[in-house]
Amino acid sequence: DAGVIQSPRHEVTEMGQEVTLRCKPISGHDYLFWYRQTMMRGLELLIYFNNNVPIDDSGMPEDRFSAKMPNASFSTLKIQPSEPRDSAVYFCASVPPDTDTQYFGPGTRLTVL
Amino acid sequence: DAKTTQPPSMDCAEGRAANLPCNHSTISGNEYVYWYRQIHSQGPQYIIHGLKNNETNEMASLIITEDRKSSTLILPHATLRDTAVYYCIHGKMKTSYDKVIFGPGTSLSVIP
């Protein structure tokens, strides 16, 4: 299995631009998570889905952030407009139906100038 | 929220056992304890989990106290590749992942 796939691995953009991060969960997994990690705040849960339906988005910082999961094999996290304080590593993780074990992707390192 | 307490950092000599403690005094009866680690620049990686019995797998052993308020992750023969940040978490998981908190963890340095 290829594991959780995230793209791009690195993204550098300018303030005000739209950024879209992508995630392909492990096939058969029914939960998908988006996390953000910074030195100051550590690993924070932004939003998670169950069977493509958003369950909790209380961690999404503000309306500039949005996430979608149009099908079981794809999710996006969009930031519009981006700001320098959004610079972080964004991780996607998925969970299979029979456990609570989260399988994390390699992350996307976002730098907003 | 399901908070845990871990020492911020630890050192361990290569080849020796690394014992990483975690306090989870707010754990409830049906919550599992999970351990993950994060090697620099990588995503967190699952290590082991348990409910109340001690557990062992190919990576580590997990010792949970009888009152379940604390646990210890044991890496029996630490190698340089075990240098990472180790996270202990607990929660009701699929009913409320939003209450599960990854704290700062323990930064383990394995020294040659």
Side-chain angles (χ1 to χ4, degrees):
Chain A
D1 198 324
V4 175
I5 298 172
Q6 293 188 246
S7 64
R9 294 293 309 278
H10 301 272
E11 177 80 31
V12 180
T13 190
E14 293 189 347
M15 182 174 64
Q17 296 298 306
E18 178 180 297
V19 175
T20 299
L21 310 182
R22 297 172 176 79
C23 175
K24 176 179 171 55
I26 295 172
S27 177
H29 286 196
D30 61 347
Y31 277 80
L32 182 139
F33 303 78
W34 282 101
Y35 287 88
R36 178 174 68 177
Q37 187 173 41
T38 61
M39 288 293 293
M40 291 296 294
R41 301 178 66 89
L43 193 62
E44 302 174 281
L45 177 63
L46 300 177
I47 184 172
Y48 70 98
F49 296 82
N50 177 220
N51 291 322
N52 314 336
V53 176
I55 301 302
D56 188 280
D57 65 354
S58 59
M60 296 286 261
E62 48 197 274
D63 292 345
R64 298 184 297 106
F65 285 68
S66 63
K68 293 182 180 180
M69 192 166 185
N71 57 62
S73 59
F74 184 65
S75 177
T76 60
L77 178 67
K78 185 177 294 186
I79 308 172
Q80 166 63 18
S82 58
E83 297 182 3
R85 59 189 169 129
D86 301 330
S87 297
V89 181
Y90 291 81
F91 290 103
C92 175
S94 66
V95 174
D98 56 341
T99 79
D100 287 324
T101 301
Q102 296 184 57
Y103 294 81
F104 285 80
T108 295
R109 182 173 295 277
L110 173 65
T111 302
V112 183
L113 303 175
Chain B
D1 290 348
K3 292 185 178 179
T4 61
T5 304
Q6 300 177 254
S9 64
M10 294 181 65
D11 291 340
C12 178
E14 188 178 17
R16 303 297 293 269
N19 296 281
L20 292 88
C22 177
N23 182 292
H24 34 80
S25 57
T26 62
I27 196 169
S28 62
N30 59 349
E31 294 180 357
Y32 282 78
V33 178
Y34 273 76
W35 283 81
Y36 290 79
R37 73 179 182 185
Q38 187 174 22
I39 296 170
H40 182 61
S41 298
Q42 298 182 21
Q45 174 193 24
Y46 164 79
I47 301 173
I48 196 167
H49 72 282
L51 183 62
K52 56 181 179 181
N53 297 320
N54 298 338
E55 301 287 345
T56 296
N57 63 19
E58 65 277 6
M59 292 182 68
S61 295
L62 176 61
I63 308 297
I64 303 173
T65 58
E66 190 168 346
D67 64 5
R68 302 206 331 115
K69 294 185 182 303
S70 65
S71 61
T72 300
L73 179 74
I74 301 172
L75 307 178
H77 306 286
T79 71
L80 298 179
R81 287 174 295 180
D82 293 321
T83 292
V85 177
Y86 288 77
Y87 300 100
C88 161
I89 63 171
H90 70 91
K92 297 191 187 303
M93 303 299 179
K94 286 187 172 169
T95 60
S96 56
Y97 276 110
D98 55 296
K99 302 295 190 293
V100 177
I101 297 175
F102 280 85
T106 296
S107 178
L108 175 69
S109 296
V110 180
I111 302 168

